[in-house]
């Protein structure tokens, strides 16, 4: 899109339904300012019924966007309606980042990259493990399973209240992934070097069940993809039991990096100031 001075100004969006609580505009707004880029990134609410039309307008350029992020409940439809999904989004059946190339909508999913980048930053060496335990088998756990597998972790135990959902993921993600009922949690945790909570347990301060983390390997890392509150009840328990913990906020920040680079041409960094901006926003809207 051209502005009045005939220079290119890129405009990106985050779309979901609802979308008003998204923190992505704060993240991208921080980087746009940091680089002095005259672009924009804004929340754009689109209902599920209107989403196909939104994708058509994006492709035709009439929406005025060069790309953007897609969140709940549009991630699956964004993948299906994109023209050039990459291998990551293809395997997940869901996309969170879109951009235009030659009038085609390209799609990827950056959640897994955000997940591992957060661990790399805050628990360096976390990947020198052979076994991981992932609690939960919903949409959010898929990208985590994929990323942990692609990092080379040999055995990934997916534990879920509804075992059939865990089994679906084991079938989807191949031999490294095994499905288990909740009753097997303690057993499969034995000797594992990474524990990931991908369920909504303990979200927004709700009570979470007590988990005995002691079967994990000494020095194991426990992380939660929920970041409200920053220290979830599960993370608090794990810390009290002597394990290394990593909160989920970094995943949100790091998943935003590849999209920004696509739309605005600069690779941004996740720094402490950005982290604090989001934490302050969480406090304001607590
Ligand atoms: P998301 O896409 O955010 O992962 P989801 O698809 O609703 O959300 O998945 C939520 C996950 O939290 C699921 O693994 C769910 O277990 P089920 O598949 O059995 O529903 C899990 N979950 C939610 N509440 C739970 C609870 N009270 N006890 C155990 N697991 C729970």
């Amino acid at each position: 899109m051209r502005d009045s001075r005939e220079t290119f100004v890129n405009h990106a969006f985050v779309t979901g339904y609802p979308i008003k609580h998204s923190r992505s505009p704060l993240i991208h707004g921080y980087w746009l300012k940091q680089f002095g880029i005259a672009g924009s990134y804004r929340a754009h609410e689109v209902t599920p019924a209107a989403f196909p039309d939104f994708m058509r307008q994006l492709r035709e350029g009439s929406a005025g966007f060069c790309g953007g992020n897609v969140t709940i409940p549009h991630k699956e439809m964004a993948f299906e309606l994109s023209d050039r999904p990459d291998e990551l989004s293809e395997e997940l059946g869901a996309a969170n980042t879109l951009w235009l190339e030659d009038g085609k909508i390209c799609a990827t999913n950056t959640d897994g990259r955000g997940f591992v980048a957060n661990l790399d930053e805050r628990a360096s060496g976390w990947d020198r493990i052979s076994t991981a335990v992932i609690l939960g088998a919903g949409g959010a756990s898929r990208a985590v399973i994929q990323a942990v597998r692609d990092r080379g972790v040999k055995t990934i135990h997916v534990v879920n209240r509804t075992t059939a959902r865990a089994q679906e993921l084991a079938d989807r993600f191949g031999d490294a992934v095994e499905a288990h009922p909740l009753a097997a949690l303690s057993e499969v945790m034995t000797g594992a070097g990474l524990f990931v909570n991908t369920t909504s347990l303990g979200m927004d301060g709700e009570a979470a069940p007590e988990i005995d983390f002691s079967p994990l390997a000494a020095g194991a890392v426990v992380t939660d993809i929920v970041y409200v509150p920053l220290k979830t009840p599960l993370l608090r328990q794990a810390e009290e039991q002597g394990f290394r913990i990593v909160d989920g906020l970094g995943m949100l920040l790091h998943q935003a990096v590849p999209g920004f680079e696509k739309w605005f041409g600069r690779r941004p960094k996740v720094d402490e100031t950005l982290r604090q901006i989001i934490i302050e926003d969480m406090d304001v809207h607590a």
Side-chain angles (χ1 to χ4, degrees), residues 136-140 160-162 165 182 198-201:
N160 198 43
R161 178 176 60 181
T162 312
R165 286 187 92 192
L182 274 185
T198 71
T199 73
S200 46
L201 292 171

Side-chain angles (χ1 to χ4, degrees), residues 63-122:
F65 292 120
C66 63
N69 284 127
V70 178
T71 187
I72 294 165
H74 301 323
K75 288 184 178 186
E76 286 79 14
M77 232 196 299
F79 161 73
E80 279 157 25
L81 298 175
S82 67
D83 306 307
R84 293 181 186 157
D86 71 353
E87 276 181 32
L88 291 173
S89 58
E90 195 112 41
E91 188 181 35
L92 295 169
N96 75 341
T97 302
L98 306 175
W99 68 99
L100 286 173
E101 269 175 28
D102 314 321
K104 304 282 184 202
I105 301 177
C106 303
T108 189
N109 196 308
T110 65
D111 286 335
R113 273 172 280 176
F115 176 79
V116 294
N118 185 35
L119 288 185
D120 286 342
E121 183 188 288
R122 303 183 87 83

Side-chain angles (χ1 to χ4, degrees), residues 16 24 51 54 83 98 107 109 114 194-195 234 241 251 263 274 276:
S24 291
F51 192 74
F54 174 73
D83 306 307
L98 306 175
N109 196 308
L194 176 69
F195 181 100
L234 291 185
Q241 294 174 37
M251 178 178 174
W263 311 314
L274 175 60
Q276 286 310 319

